Amino acid sequence: MTKSQNHAYRLKMAKQNAEAFLRDEGITTLPVDPFAIAASRGIEVKAKPGTAEGVSGMLLRHGDLFGILYATYIPSEGFQRFSIGHELGHYFLEGHIDHILPEDGAHESHAGFVSADPYELEADQFAAGLLMPSIPFKRALARQNPGLEIVESLANLCRTSLTATAIRYAELTDDAVAIIISTGPVIDFCFLSETIKSLPQLTWLRKGSPVPRDTATAQLNANPARVANSDRADADIDIMDWLGGTRSARATEEVIGLGRYGKTLTVLTCPSVQDETYQEEDGEDEEGLAERWTPRFRR
Amino acid sequence: MTKKPNPSEMFKERLKAARDLRKWSQSDLAGRAEMPPSSIAHFEAGSRKPSFDTLRRLANALEVTTDYLLGRVDDPGLAEAGDPLYRDVGKLTGRDREIAKDFLEMLAKKAETKRK
């Protein structure tokens, strides 16, 4: 296994560990309560004073007692719950004792997919799996139309931030969607669902790429007051406007300001692009199926 | 200069030492800590590293402190003073450090109350 394969495997395992933990604890419904999980292990949880910026959370220990401090300077319940989930990741994931205990390097918790440190990313993945476990999340996805509406509805159901929910949506949906977080004229990151990746020769929108000009996102991002006010906009587009490639397809662009963050969330949905894995099976004629499944006996 | 062993390296030695102290087999400990015997074998061999949750469960089952299992104290019954779980506390801003200190004092009081 190469280093990057090993890293990807560990991230996947971190999420699965969270889901296995929920199963073992008999937690099957949404929303998952990270405060109750901490309490079940006797972990004291306390909010840092509202004005204190700095780290998003800390896991602390006194002898055999543990505590979690979490930041509240971002007034988002979703972000705060995610920060607690992240610290629980440090507590429950194997091997994190070497990363976190003093004496061999620097450790800071900045939850929310903003750190490149593999242990911090693992803790983020644990938090995502804990607060948005795949089975109930997918069940909720199946009942709704693709797009920003789904993200808002699931964020409400899981009590998670729009950003974390949108990333999980792209990961678990069969729809062709792209999730973009941007600040002003620059893209912070972009997540593509498996289905949308089937479009040929896509341009991968990397961190630092420019937001395509003349898009609804570019217009909203150009007005910080609208971003801070959580304004929204939408437009009918061609997917090539955003992702390039060689196949034109009608799509919808929906964008919403993320308040004092100064960032926006863009959801691109492309209903004409289907998951072709299933389509081939669906398209198989009944006669062919009956033929293949008819037992044959020698005469 | 020899590199100081990391906590999980210390843990595998201390886990075995604590189990020997109690004169328990791996299965005995596994039963008390409610985990499969193979997990104990993996921890002692170093092929698996513990989580903090596992560390606590094993410390409780063995009736030793987590500090002993981490190699921070040599007496199974003594705990070290509290420390923030940061590998470099200097990285914290002054305000974060103050908040962490207050919180640790609260945990220390709670630990004291538990002992009474």
Side-chain angles (χ1 to χ4, degrees), chain A residues 255-283:
Chain A
V255 56
I256 183 168
L258 295 173
R260 57 167 284 179
Y261 252 145
K263 297 180 184 298
T264 56
L265 163 68
T266 304
V267 182
L268 307 179
T269 46
C270 197
S272 62
V273 178
Q274 306 268 314
D275 187 335
E276 279 150 20
T277 326
Y278 296 104
Q279 230 186 346
E280 281 167 25
E281 287 171 17
D282 294 347

Side-chain angles (χ1 to χ4, degrees), chain A residues 46-58 69-77 79-81 83 87 108-112 114 258-261, chain B residues 86 93 95-96 99:
Chain A
K46 196 167 173 241
K48 281 165 63 179
T51 53
E53 292 212 10
V55 296
S56 66
M58 293 183 226
L69 275 170
Y70 66 97
T72 52
Y73 61 87
I74 292 177
S76 151
E77 183 199 32
F79 178 74
Q80 290 164 21
R81 283 163 46 86
S83 296
E87 297 310 321
E108 285 191 359
S109 270
H110 288 285
V114 292
L258 295 173
R260 57 167 284 179
Y261 252 145
Chain B
Y86 275 81
T93 62
R95 184 76 185 111
D96 270 341
I99 294 166

Side-chain angles (χ1 to χ4, degrees), chain B residues 10-102:
Chain B
M10 290 299 296
F11 168 80
K12 68 178 186 182
E13 307 299 334
R14 285 298 176 87
L15 180 64
K16 191 173 181 323
R19 191 170 59 73
D20 290 344
L21 181 74
R22 301 289 175 234
K23 297 186 171 57
W24 291 345
S25 67
Q26 290 183 341
S27 293
D28 293 336
L29 174 56
R32 285 175 164 87
E34 296 180 346
M35 55 179 72
S38 61
S39 296
I40 308 296
H42 280 298
F43 289 137
E44 288 185 7
S47 50
R48 255 179 80 182
K49 293 178 175 187
S51 66
F52 284 111
D53 194 52
T54 306
L55 181 74
R56 268 174 107 181
R57 273 163 70 184
L58 290 165
N60 285 339
L62 287 158
E63 294 180 8
V64 297
T65 62
T66 49
D67 278 324
Y68 174 75
L69 288 182
L70 291 167
R72 302 181 139 226
V73 293
D74 294 331
D75 182 330
L78 286 180
E80 207 190 43
D83 58 6
L85 296 178
Y86 275 81
R87 291 189 292 169
D88 181 358
V89 183
K91 286 265 172 185
L92 290 174
T93 62
R95 184 76 185 111
D96 270 341
R97 203 178 306 143
E98 278 171 42
I99 294 166
K101 213 171 124 224
D102 289 347

Side-chain angles (χ1 to χ4, degrees), chain A residues 16-277:
Chain A
Q16 288 183 357
N17 275 328
E19 294 184 334
F21 168 81
L22 293 174
R23 273 195 304 277
D24 291 347
E25 297 287 308
I27 299 168
T28 54
T29 54
L30 299 173
V32 172
D33 184 355
F35 292 90
I37 290 169
S40 76
R41 294 301 189 274
I43 300 170
E44 193 79 30
V45 179
K46 196 167 173 241
K48 281 165 63 179
T51 53
E53 292 212 10
V55 296
S56 66
M58 293 183 226
L59 178 65
L60 298 109
R61 181 178 74 108
H62 181 89
D64 296 340
L65 288 178
F66 284 75
I68 288 172
L69 275 170
Y70 66 97
T72 52
Y73 61 87
I74 292 177
S76 151
E77 183 199 32
F79 178 74
Q80 290 164 21
R81 283 163 46 86
F82 196 89
S83 296
I84 297 163
H86 175 105
E87 297 310 321
L88 288 171
H90 285 313
Y91 178 82
F92 282 110
L93 287 170
E94 291 190 359
H96 279 231
I97 66 169
D98 289 338
H99 166 67
I100 286 174
L101 285 170
E103 291 165 2
D104 61 342
H107 168 262
E108 285 191 359
S109 270
H110 288 285
F113 306 98
V114 292
S115 169
D117 181 313
Y119 285 96
E120 295 305 299
L121 286 170
E122 273 182 41
D124 277 342
Q125 296 294 345
F126 183 93
L130 189 79
L131 300 175
M132 297 172 283
S134 57
I135 292 172
F137 194 92
K138 276 181 158 176
R139 207 180 293 135
L141 276 184
R143 293 194 292 261
Q144 305 179 61
N145 293 321
L148 180 58
E149 192 184 321
I150 258 187
V151 176
E152 291 181 296
S153 156
L154 278 157
N156 197 33
L157 179 66
C158 300
R159 290 167 64 193
T160 41
S161 70
L162 287 177
T163 306
T165 312
I167 294 168
R168 193 68 166 138
Y169 169 46
E171 198 172 54
L172 294 175
T173 184
D174 292 328
D175 300 326
V177 301
I179 300 297
I180 297 117
I181 302 289
S182 57
T183 312
V186 178
I187 287 169
D188 295 317
F189 53 81
C190 166
F191 285 87
L192 303 179
S193 71
E194 279 307 311
T195 303
I196 208 165
K197 285 179 192 170
S198 67
L199 286 167
Q201 295 177 45
L202 289 183
T203 306
W204 289 86
L205 295 171
R206 301 200 180 283
K207 181 181 168 68
S209 310
V211 172
R213 285 167 50 186
D214 303 327
T215 55
T217 301
Q219 284 162 19
L220 185 65
N221 285 9
N223 188 335
R226 289 187 68 203
V227 174
N229 197 39
S230 302
D231 280 6
R232 55 183 72 212
D234 59 72
D236 290 328
I237 58 161
D238 188 308
I239 200 67
M240 292 172 85
D241 300 344
W242 267 92
L243 301 180
T246 54
R247 179 172 155 191
S248 171
R250 284 185 54 196
T252 304
E253 173 187 0
E254 296 168 285
V255 56
I256 183 168
L258 295 173
R260 57 167 284 179
Y261 252 145
K263 297 180 184 298
T264 56
L265 163 68
T266 304
V267 182
L268 307 179
T269 46
C270 197
S272 62
V273 178
Q274 306 268 314
D275 187 335
E276 279 150 20
T277 326

